[in-house]
Structures are given as structure tokens and as C-alpha cells.
Amino acid sequence: DAGVIQSPRHEVTEMGQEVTLRCKPISGHDYLFWYRQTMMRGLELLIYFNNNVPIDDSGMPEDRFSAKMPNASFSTLKIQPSEPRDSAVYFCASSPPTGGPDTQYFGPGTRLTVL
Amino acid sequence: GEDVEQSLFLSVREGDSSVINCTYTDSSSTYLYWYKQEPGAGLQLLTYIFSNMDMKQDQRLTVLLNKKDKHLSLRIADTQTGDSAIYFCAESKSNAGNMLTFGGGTRLMVKP
């Protein structure tokens, strides 16, 4: 398996633009997580899905952020409009069905820079 | 509370042992984990321990769990320069749907 795939790996955009980050989880995993990592705030859970349904979005910073999971193999995190304070590394992770250790497998991340 | 806390930084010499510590507050945690993050990469699972165990060894890694004190540690024997990374501890609970609570990470620097 290729692991969790994220695209793009790097994104540079200007304030006010729409940004879409993409994630393909590991096949057979039914949990998908979006995290944001910054020096100041560390690793923050933004939202997670189970069987394509959002379960907890309490970490989403504000209405400018939205996430979707239209099918089991694809998820997007959208920021509209983007702001400089959104600059961070965004990670997607997936996890197999509950029944043992809740191990999460992380993608390589998307480094977002908003100018 | 659900805070997981770690010290920010640890520096050791190559060949020495490293001990990274973590404290957590939720006694209902079912599993506790150690993840490693190398520069420019995502988090990679190193090892995990079930909450009814007090020790787990895996090659150079030893995990110790003191459930009474809610203290978790990761010992790396014969630390190498390739072990330089950020190490995160994390906890999960049986009713939290695979959600993990991560600590802030400990940056390990290994000097040659």
C-alpha cells in the first residue's frame, strides 16, 4: 500500500484565495483525520470522519474552513478565503476500524504558505 | 482533563541512552503511543502499549507505563544521530472513536 497520500505537498497562495488540500486514505481504513501543525500551537485536530461522516469538527478554527469526504477514498480540506495565519503544515491521517490499537497513519503533509 | 504533556527538548550524545517522558491526565486511556516525526515528514508510529501493561520492549526501544502516576516514558538505547527527531506521545480511549490526544512533542537532538 502507498500509505496516506496528500496533495499538493507545498502550496503558496495569496491572502484571500481559496485553497483546497486533498487526501487519499489507506484502503480499508474507515477513519480519516485532518490535523494542523504550527510552531506556536503544535499539532491540532481539526476534524475527523468515520465512514465518510464527520464525527467531530470542534477543532475547525472558523467558518472559512470546511472539509468533505465524498467517498471512502478521498477527502478535501478547503480554506476560503485564506489568511496569513492559516500558514501551517496540514496532515491527513487514516485509521482502521476500531477493534485494537487506534493507530493512525499519517500522510507526508501539505505545507501551506499564505502571503 | 485530557492534557498530555511532554518536555520540549532533550539533548544526548551518540551512544548514550535517551529517556523521553510524558504525563497524561485521563485514567480511562486504553492505549498509549509514541510517534516519531522527522524533519519535513508526517508522524510515524514507533510503538504502543496497552494500558494494562507496565513495560514493552522492542529492539532499542523500551516503553514504561506507570498507570498510578499517569506517566509514560520512552527509552532509546544506544541513541544514534538518525534518532534526532520530534517524539510525540498520545493516548486513546475506548469510547473516542480512534481519536488520539497528542502531547506537544519532545525534540531530541543527538550530538556526535
Side-chain angles (χ1 to χ4, degrees):
Chain A
D1 199 313
V4 175
I5 298 172
Q6 291 187 246
S7 64
R9 291 295 311 276
H10 298 89
E11 176 82 33
V12 180
T13 191
E14 292 188 344
M15 183 173 64
Q17 296 297 306
E18 177 180 295
V19 174
T20 300
L21 311 181
R22 297 173 175 80
C23 176
K24 177 177 166 50
I26 294 172
S27 177
H29 285 192
D30 61 357
Y31 284 89
L32 184 138
F33 305 81
W34 282 102
Y35 291 89
R36 177 172 70 176
Q37 186 178 38
T38 61
M39 290 291 290
M40 291 296 291
R41 302 172 69 93
L43 192 66
E44 302 173 277
L45 175 65
L46 300 177
I47 185 171
Y48 80 96
F49 295 83
N50 179 220
N51 291 319
N52 313 336
V53 176
I55 303 300
D56 186 344
D57 65 354
S58 59
M60 296 286 262
E62 48 199 273
D63 293 345
R64 297 184 298 106
F65 286 69
S66 62
K68 294 182 180 178
M69 192 164 185
N71 57 61
S73 59
F74 184 66
S75 177
T76 59
L77 178 68
K78 187 176 291 188
I79 308 172
Q80 166 65 16
S82 59
E83 297 182 4
R85 61 190 166 124
D86 302 330
S87 297
V89 181
Y90 291 80
F91 290 104
C92 175
S94 69
S95 185
T98 306
D102 303 325
T103 306
Q104 293 183 16
Y105 297 82
F106 281 73
T110 295
R111 182 173 294 276
L112 173 66
T113 303
V114 183
L115 303 175
Chain B
E2 300 181 4
D3 289 338
V4 178
E5 296 190 351
Q6 306 177 233
S7 54
L8 286 177
F9 188 76
L10 176 66
S11 178
V12 300
R13 292 228 172 261
E14 191 173 20
D16 289 349
S17 291
S18 307
V19 179
I20 302 171
N21 294 301
C22 173
T23 58
Y24 60 99
T25 56
D26 196 325
S27 58
S28 68
S29 295
T30 51
Y31 288 92
L32 294 125
Y33 307 79
W34 285 104
Y35 280 80
K36 176 183 181 182
Q37 184 181 28
E38 296 182 351
L43 279 69
Q44 176 189 11
L45 178 70
L46 277 181
T47 187
Y48 64 87
I49 187 168
F50 189 46
S51 57
N52 70 351
M53 299 171 61
D54 53 19
M55 186 181 91
K56 181 178 180 181
Q57 187 150 5
D58 183 1
Q59 299 182 333
R60 293 191 297 121
L61 305 179
T62 303
V63 178
L64 295 178
L65 175 60
N66 181 328
K67 202 170 179 182
K68 174 177 169 290
D69 294 339
K70 299 188 184 68
H71 183 266
L72 181 74
S73 68
L74 174 70
R75 179 177 181 270
I76 306 172
D78 187 25
T79 314
Q80 303 297 306
T81 54
D83 296 324
S84 294
I86 302 175
Y87 291 81
F88 292 87
C89 68
E91 61 174 351
S92 66
K93 294 179 278 291
S94 59
N95 62 347
N98 287 29
M99 196 171 75
L100 300 182
T101 302
F102 285 88
T106 298
R107 183 178 295 274
L108 174 65
M109 178 179 291
V110 183
K111 298 179 181 177

